[in-house]
Every structure is written in structure tokens, then in C-alpha cells.
Amino acid sequence: MSQPDLEDLRLFLIVVDHGSIAAAARADGTPKPSISRRMANLEAAVGEKLFDRGANRLSLTPRGDELNARLRPAMQSVVQALSELDDWHSDYAGLLNMHVPASLLQMGVRQTINAFLESHPNTQFNLALNNQPIQRLDTDTHLALVIGGLPDSDLIAARVGQTRRILVASPKYVGAHSNIAHPDQLSDHVVIAPGPHVPLILRHEDGRNWTQPFEPHLAIDDVRDVTNEAIVGRGVAISTTVAAARDLADGSLNQLLQDWQEQPMPISILYRDNRLQSRLERDFIKVLRAEINKSLKIHF
């Protein structure tokens, strides 16, 4: 038998306590696919099945029962020792480097950082406002927020919400131009888009599809800057529900073609395996996930 991983053993007990991998994922804040993979690794290390997998609930095999009985008191001792160590060094300390799209800064990120800085003055945060797709985390970066597709890597991606690209323009611009009733009419307007631009793929509520047949007149790296161009009346902007939320709410922008919509894009936190994280990093990610999820529910 190979040596089981300590994190696999910890998650094994959580799965036993909650009766399923899905319930364990919700309780621990670890993605369900990660727990499934770790349980498979643990069974491989032990060399025997630990669970009988029913339709909705897992039950322990005799070998799983034996492991549970022997492991639980030992793990409780480990938890108590770590808790006592945390009591000796109760405050967080350290630096977290993060990549964050500028449009998400107000969606829970700034609030979570401010709360940590106020409660834990020995923490430091370094934010890179990066709107480019993240393919990997460099050695000095602890986590990244990602909108849309995820890189194919061993990193963990925890989904926290979603956004969608939308078309917006200022009330002044809308009043000065003819009504846009169909996406084909966008070719008659100045269109501003985030760069590098990805063509729109819109679907009407009656099932018709439309794909953008033209290039935008102006592409800007930051979707927030794109949205600001629309606010001052430069043209029609391809923004997102997140970037334009406040401006739509206060009347600075109008949403166009609301019966034509794009598919939502996931928003995820990208980070390394839990075994490589500090206590500050693990706890910050848990709080950040909850705060972003709450903010996005309000604005989507």
C-alpha cells in the first residue's frame, strides 16, 4: 500500500460525515471534481474500495469502515494541535498577490480586502488589474479571478458566479439615433468593444441566432473603459452585466436589444492545490468566494 495523502484523508472524513461528495464539496468549499479525484487517489493508495456508490448517497465498505474508525481520533488530534498552534499565532500575516479583472474589483474583491486589512493589519495585498486571459499562475501569484474559459491545467477553479456581454448606449445617444431593433443595424453605428475583441453570438428569445459580421470601430483592453465611452455618448458599447451594472441602475446607460442575448460566462477563482496554500490564503479564498457570489447575485 502506498502512503495516502493527508489532505485526501481529511476530505475522506468530510465525505463520510456528509454522505456524498456533492454535500462534502459544499461544506468544505472544495470543488466537487477535486474531491472525486482525491477519493479515487485514496482508494488507489489503500488498494481497496472505500465506498459503495449509490444513486444519491455513498456508503462505506468494510475497508472504509475500518479506515474511518482508525483515522477519526488521529485526525481530531491533528486538528486540535493545529488549533493550538493558531492560538499561539492568532493573527494573519503575509502577502497575497492577485490578478483581478478591473470590472470585478467592486464585486466583492475590494470589500474582502478592506475587511482583512482592517481586522488583520499584518496582511498585505498586491493587485494586478489584468484583463487578459490567464493561462497559468506565475510562481509569485497566489490566485486569479477569471471570466469565461479556464486554462487546461492542474490549478483549481472555484466558480463564484457569472456575467454576460450586453449592448449598451447612453440615453443621449439612443435619443439622437434611430431605434436599434435588430443586430444587423449595429453596422450603422460606432461600436466599441473590449479587446482583443471576440465576435458577439446572440440568440433571440424565439430561437434565432446571429453572429457579428463586422469588426468594432474601437477596441479597448479594459471593459470598464469601453463602458465609459458609451456613457459619454461615443457609440454602442459591448459591455457586461458586471461592468455596466451601476450605470444601468442609475440611468447613465440603457441596455439595447434585450430580446437578443449571449450565453452567460462563468466567473471563477483560480488557485493552486490546498496543500500549497498558507492559512491566510485558504481563509481569504473562502471569504472571497462568498462575497463575490453575493455581489454577483445582486447584479446579474
Side-chain angles (χ1 to χ4, degrees):
M1 182 180 75
S2 60
Q3 190 71 26
D5 187 284
L6 182 61
E7 178 66 3
D8 295 351
L9 295 171
R10 184 187 73 84
L11 289 171
F12 168 79
L13 293 178
I14 294 175
V15 173
V16 172
D17 288 341
H18 290 84
S20 72
I21 288 176
R26 289 192 295 270
D28 190 64
T30 299
K32 181 180 174 181
S34 297
I35 297 182
S36 295
R37 185 180 69 250
R38 286 186 171 278
M39 292 305 96
N41 291 343
L42 181 58
E43 288 181 324
V46 172
E48 294 184 45
K49 283 182 60 177
L50 300 174
F51 299 99
D52 286 321
R53 291 163 171 81
N56 298 311
R57 188 173 180 85
L58 300 176
S59 59
L60 289 173
T61 64
R63 184 63 162 160
D65 265 326
E66 180 183 356
L67 178 61
N68 181 49
R70 292 176 177 271
L71 176 62
R72 194 166 293 275
M75 190 63 74
Q76 288 172 347
S77 296
V78 172
V79 170
Q80 182 178 352
L82 292 176
S83 177
E84 291 171 356
L85 183 62
D86 280 345
D87 287 341
W88 298 338
H89 305 282
S90 59
D91 196 18
Y92 296 104
L95 169 68
L96 287 185
N97 294 312
M98 305 164 53
H99 285 282
V100 180
S103 59
L104 293 181
L105 193 58
Q106 301 296 337
M107 296 294 161
V109 178
R110 188 189 297 275
Q111 296 92 322
T112 306
I113 290 174
N114 288 343
F116 262 73
L117 290 175
E118 183 176 347
S119 300
H120 310 288
N122 292 323
T123 56
Q124 296 173 287
F125 294 87
N126 183 18
L127 269 67
L129 298 182
N130 191 331
N131 296 289
Q132 297 301 317
I134 298 294
Q135 297 303 320
R136 62 183 180 85
L137 296 184
D138 59 50
T139 55
D140 295 326
T141 302
H142 299 94
L143 63 99
L145 283 168
V146 180
I147 300 176
L150 296 169
D152 184 12
S153 73
D154 293 332
L155 297 171
I156 295 173
R159 181 165 174 167
V160 292
Q162 60 186 10
T163 187
R164 183 175 57 234
R165 291 196 299 173
I166 57 175
L167 294 156
V168 296
S170 70
K172 181 179 178 181
Y173 185 91
V174 171
H177 295 79
S178 58
N179 181 49
I180 301 176
H182 190 277
D184 285 342
Q185 296 173 274
L186 291 171
S187 59
D188 299 327
H189 296 263
V190 173
V191 176
I192 309 152
H197 175 59
V198 177
L200 285 169
I201 302 176
L202 301 177
R203 184 178 180 84
H204 193 269
E205 55 191 21
D206 65 9
R208 288 177 291 157
N209 293 318
W210 180 89
T211 301
Q212 180 179 323
F214 60 86
E215 290 294 320
H217 296 82
L218 176 62
I220 308 175
D221 178 56
D222 189 348
V223 69
R224 185 61 237 176
D225 289 335
V226 171
T227 307
N228 288 338
E229 290 293 303
I231 291 173
V232 299
R234 306 276 190 222
V236 176
I238 302 173
S239 185
T240 66
T241 54
V242 167
R246 298 178 188 277
D247 306 303
L248 291 169
D250 67 19
S252 300
L253 289 175
N254 292 345
Q255 183 177 347
L256 310 178
L257 294 173
Q258 295 192 48
D259 51 349
W260 292 85
Q261 299 288 344
E262 264 207 324
Q263 289 297 311
M265 300 180 292
I267 299 174
S268 306
I269 304 177
L270 201 64
Y271 57 93
R272 295 185 181 86
D273 192 288
N274 292 341
R275 293 171 296 177
L276 304 177
Q277 294 176 337
S278 66
R279 173 173 166 252
L280 167 62
E281 195 174 345
R282 288 195 304 271
D283 288 358
F284 179 81
I285 288 173
K286 287 183 179 180
V287 175
L288 182 62
R289 287 182 66 178
E291 189 64 35
I292 293 177
N293 186 267
K294 181 174 68 176
S295 294
L296 291 174
K297 283 182 178 178
I298 295 172
H299 293 291
F300 187 80

